[in-house]
Amino acid sequence: MSHIKECLVKLYGIICCYQLVSGYAAGPPFSTCLTLFPKHDGLEAQTTEPPYTIHIQETYYIPEQDIHITVRGKNDRKFMGLQIAVHRDKGDTEELMGEFTSFPSDKLKAINCIDGKKNMIGHKNSEIVKETNITWKAPSVNQGNLTIHFSIVENFDNFWQNILRPLPSKVDIPVVPVKQISKHKNINVDFDECGNSLGCILYPSYCTGDNCYAGAAFKDEGNRTRFKTFVGINEGYISLGFSDDRLMGDDHTISCTYKDDHYTIQHGYNPLYFNYRQYKKDEIDDMTVSVQDGKLYCEFTRPKYMSVVNMMNPSERLEFDLNNDYYVMIAWGYLHRVAFDVVLILLASWCQQNLKVNFKSTIIYRGSALPGLTQIHALLMIVAWILFTGVATIIARYFKSSFGEKMAFGAKIWFQTHRAAAVISALITAISFIIIFVKVDGFTEVAEAHAYVGIVLMAITTLQVFGGLLRPGPDSKLRPLFNWGHWLMGKTAHILAAVSIFLAFTIKLIPKTQSTFGVVIASVWVVCQVLWELFYELRRRRRESQEKKENSSLQKADMILLVVYVVNMLIVLAVSIMAIYFF
């Protein structure tokens, strides 16, 4: 089942990533059920008056009444996309009301959102229309005054969202109050109590409290659990994800948002790397969101048991019981404000701990942005390319004469050292490559360009090793051509390794602090390597001139410089390891 889940995650991820770039010609996804926000490559909705008329035939509704809606372009203006949903005007404004019973099926489709049936209308293709007529049936029980929400898409670049039309009830009823969010109230996280009366998840792994960038404190309160979360941004969101495994997918989330002085707390479900809103149903209480000292804080109490609709199989509910242990993922980032009470979460950065959390405990858990196998993959790659490939490169290019004519195992020492360093680098690269493929169960689009460069790098490394085994003899006419090709392929691999490391530290899911630190360290490595090679090249040319005049070997100085180079690379390597394990 785990293998099937991972395959589905990647398949849906490919579909999602394609749709996020190209729009949703086949209709809106489930993730827009509560936002009605067209996801068009990050574009914002138009703020001008919509060039469309919306006519609602009835002036009010009674239970089970048919309400007739017409959407028409002004001055023959056309549209290609449409979403409609109906919500309460006050009280629980999340729940979608009623059922869409009649619509042109060649253009529109009814979508079953969350626990409902045909409670949202969306387009099913990108055909252009001037007008459409829809019938909506009111619920069997009076829900009070309602509001009909519209989103209309003229084309990929131009769309209008949060178009509202009132639909009052014929018989007024009292508004059922719902639990509200407290705003601007200070949230105190007593880090001294972590490990005593509080369980805590802290990120980065080395932090102790106030110096943490993100984290969560939790406390068991019988049949409920209280959480306090924080992250070092003053506008955006922080989200807690509860998962049975270390992979994103089939996760229950509670997210806190702040934008433009507006706060929300959202209940959600992650089918993979994006979030579907769910109804809170008044299950979450004691809700507070606050910005303090440049950090976003959130506090809430949730019942031990909660469930979410599996949006990949809407007839199924997934259960999450905090009497059980779960992996916890903390995600944060920025968002779109798409309506007064609705925001769209955009995944930016995240961390997780490598152990399941016992929510009845007072243990301190340390968060990491990278899972264990990913950390091993990164460690092996930087050891291979910062240290061993560097040594193999400069010995072959600049230290052939430094070892004189000394032999070892039937070949000159410089060659044996070069070959050993190159083979070790290739073996470590292969092991690292296998580890990450095992980790993600094959190729995945999530790594973006880093994955493509890594595959090319592995291919070139393999060719370089086998090419070395086929090296022509010193008197062969092909030897000069081989030497040139071997140098070119090795240098290309070294450059691609640097590109791959830079791309790895700029993957979207890596937190900004870790990304910045990693890019700086990678830059230091590249600069050091280039400066060393320039120094060695100038020294080699100067030495060739001296050898003609003085016939001096300068072997002792060469060995000292080689040792200094290796020490330099070891220092860079040590600091690079910090970029992997300290975040």
Side-chain angles (χ1 to χ4, degrees):
M1 288 297 293
S2 175
H3 177 75
I4 294 173
K5 171 188 169 182
E6 292 171 9
C7 290
L8 286 172
V9 165
K10 282 176 280 189
L11 175 60
Y12 275 83
I14 292 170
I15 295 170
C16 171
C17 288
Y18 172 77
Q19 289 175 325
L20 283 174
V21 172
S22 59
Y24 292 84
F30 286 112
S31 59
T32 63
C33 281
L34 292 180
T35 65
L36 270 65
F37 188 81
K39 297 179 180 179
H40 289 187
D41 200 17
L43 293 175
E44 298 283 356
Q46 300 296 311
T47 57
T48 58
E49 182 70 19
Y52 303 98
T53 61
I54 297 171
H55 176 68
I56 300 172
Q57 184 174 321
E58 292 72 22
T59 56
Y60 56 81
Y61 82 93
I62 59 175
E64 297 190 337
Q65 180 183 4
D66 286 338
I67 303 297
H68 301 88
I69 304 167
T70 299
V71 179
R72 181 185 301 114
K74 297 178 182 178
N75 301 319
D76 291 329
R77 193 81 168 255
K78 299 178 181 179
F79 58 93
M80 67 185 325
L82 178 67
Q83 282 183 268
I84 308 174
V86 183
H87 296 266
R88 293 185 186 91
D89 182 50
K90 294 180 180 178
D92 182 0
T93 58
E94 280 189 326
E95 186 176 3
L96 281 77
M97 299 282 101
E99 178 182 345
F100 290 93
T101 56
S102 177
F103 46 86
S105 58
D106 59 335
K107 174 60 185 175
L108 303 177
K109 61 182 178 181
I111 299 172
N112 299 333
C113 284
I114 310 181
D115 287 321
K117 178 183 178 183
K118 297 182 178 181
N119 52 3
M120 183 178 81
I121 279 289
H123 57 278
K124 63 191 297 185
N125 54 51
S126 57
E127 295 296 322
I128 304 296
V129 296
K130 295 181 180 179
E131 178 181 318
T132 188
N133 296 287
I134 300 112
T135 302
W136 173 83
K137 186 175 183 178
S140 59
V141 177
N142 188 355
Q143 300 294 328
N145 295 335
L146 303 177
T147 300
I148 307 177
H149 296 240
F150 297 81
S151 289
I152 304 176
V153 177
E154 182 178 34
N155 51 49
F156 184 86
D157 296 320
N158 298 308
F159 56 88
W160 288 260
Q161 185 268 344
N162 200 34
I163 306 168
L164 308 179
R165 295 293 183 269
L167 182 62
S169 170
K170 184 176 182 180
V171 179
D172 196 18
I173 63 172
V175 175
V176 178
V178 295
K179 295 166 184 174
Q180 300 296 315
I181 301 172
S182 298
K183 305 175 183 179
H184 305 298
K185 174 185 173 184
N186 281 351
I187 298 173
N188 178 44
V189 181
D190 189 352
F191 294 106
D192 291 336
E193 288 301 312
C194 290
N196 296 316
S197 63
L198 296 176
C200 292
I201 304 167
L202 304 178
Y203 172 83
S205 59
Y206 60 80
C207 74
T208 57
D210 289 330
N211 63 334
C212 293
Y213 186 79
F218 56 89
K219 185 175 183 178
D220 181 70
E221 296 183 348
N223 63 347
R224 304 183 73 83
T225 304
R226 181 178 296 274
F227 287 90
K228 297 180 181 181
T229 65
F230 64 93
V231 66
I233 55 177
N234 57 19
E235 185 174 89
Y237 78 92
I238 181 169
S239 180
L240 284 184
F242 305 88
S243 179
D244 284 317
D245 54 35
R246 293 187 180 93
L247 297 173
M248 277 195 176
D250 290 342
D251 309 323
H252 168 223
T253 66
I254 296 179
S255 306
C256 306
T257 76
Y258 168 65
K259 185 176 176 67
D260 301 332
D261 200 35
H262 181 72
Y263 301 79
T264 73
I265 291 183
Q266 303 177 8
H267 180 211
Y269 161 67
N270 278 0
L272 24 114
Y273 294 93
F274 50 93
N275 188 263
Y276 284 154
R277 286 275 300 276
Q278 304 271 316
Y279 299 145
K280 290 199 296 285
K281 293 187 178 296
D282 242 17
E283 293 182 307
I284 303 171
D285 55 19
D286 300 326
M287 299 178 289
T288 302
V289 180
S290 179
V291 175
Q292 304 163 211
D293 301 323
K295 288 185 177 181
L296 175 62
Y297 285 82
C298 180
E299 181 177 8
F300 59 87
T301 303
R302 56 153 289 176
K304 289 285 181 66
Y305 174 85
M306 295 185 78
S307 65
V308 294
V309 176
N310 181 356
M311 304 305 287
M312 294 181 180
N313 181 13
S315 63
E316 177 188 11
R317 294 197 72 91
L318 303 176
E319 300 176 348
F320 293 85
D321 186 350
L322 295 193
N323 288 306
N324 303 320
D325 297 352
Y326 291 97
Y327 292 102
V328 173
M329 302 175 186
I330 304 176
W332 61 88
Y334 301 96
L335 38 80
H336 281 302
R337 172 78 178 277
V338 299
F340 177 74
D341 60 347
V342 179
V343 291
L344 176 64
I345 288 176
L346 305 173
L347 181 61
S349 302
W350 69 302
C351 70
Q352 65 175 36
Q353 78 300 326
N354 289 317
L355 297 173
K356 283 189 172 182
V357 172
N358 180 343
F359 297 96
K360 297 179 180 179
S361 74
T362 57
I363 297 172
I364 298 176
Y365 298 88
R366 299 291 176 178
S368 171
L370 300 175
L373 284 178
T374 305
Q375 289 178 329
I376 295 173
H377 162 76
L379 172 65
L380 292 176
M381 287 297 286
I382 64 173
V383 168
W385 292 96
I386 290 180
L387 182 61
F388 286 102
T389 302
V391 169
T393 298
I394 66 162
I395 283 180
R397 180 72 175 168
Y398 304 111
F399 286 85
K400 290 181 181 179
S401 62
S402 302
F403 294 91
E405 298 298 319
K406 295 178 181 178
M407 306 287 285
F409 305 104
K412 291 183 178 180
I413 289 181
W414 78 263
F415 178 74
Q416 294 288 35
T417 306
H418 162 75
R419 180 163 59 184
V423 170
I424 292 172
S425 177
L427 287 174
I428 294 176
T429 300
I431 293 170
S432 174
F433 190 79
I434 292 169
I435 285 173
I436 201 63
F437 256 59
V438 170
K439 163 68 174 62
V440 301
D441 193 26
F443 186 78
T444 172
E445 82 292 342
V446 175
E448 301 168 339
H450 172 69
Y452 295 98
V453 174
I455 290 172
V456 174
L457 176 61
M458 186 69 246
I460 293 176
T461 301
T462 303
L463 290 174
Q464 183 77 330
V465 170
F466 281 103
L469 297 175
L470 302 174
R471 185 178 64 150
D475 298 326
S476 172
K477 294 181 179 180
L478 296 176
R479 183 61 174 267
L481 182 62
F482 168 84
N483 288 342
W484 184 87
H486 191 64
W487 171 86
L488 180 61
M489 191 171 291
K491 188 60 65 178
T492 300
H494 211 179
I495 292 171
L496 283 176
V499 172
S500 179
I501 291 172
F502 276 105
L503 290 173
F505 281 118
T506 55
I507 290 174
K508 291 179 180 178
L509 294 181
I510 289 182
K512 184 178 179 181
T513 49
Q514 183 178 26
S515 176
T516 301
F517 187 79
V519 167
V520 169
I521 297 305
S523 301
V524 170
W525 164 52
V526 170
V527 170
C528 286
Q529 184 68 32
V530 170
L531 289 177
W532 274 111
E533 293 198 29
L534 285 174
F535 170 76
Y536 283 134
E537 183 65 28
L538 292 172
R539 189 171 182 276
R540 180 183 67 83
R541 296 188 180 188
R542 181 170 176 270
R543 177 175 172 173
E544 287 175 351
S545 175
Q546 287 179 337
E547 283 179 338
K548 291 177 182 178
K549 297 176 181 179
E550 304 172 11
N551 195 28
S552 173
S553 65
L554 305 175
Q555 291 183 3
K556 185 175 180 179
D558 285 351
M559 291 301 101
I560 293 174
L561 286 172
L562 180 59
V563 170
V564 172
Y565 169 81
V566 172
V567 170
N568 181 197
M569 291 299 110
L570 285 172
I571 293 172
V572 173
L573 180 62
V575 180
S576 299
I577 292 172
M578 291 172 57
I580 298 170
Y581 284 95
F582 274 35
F583 294 91

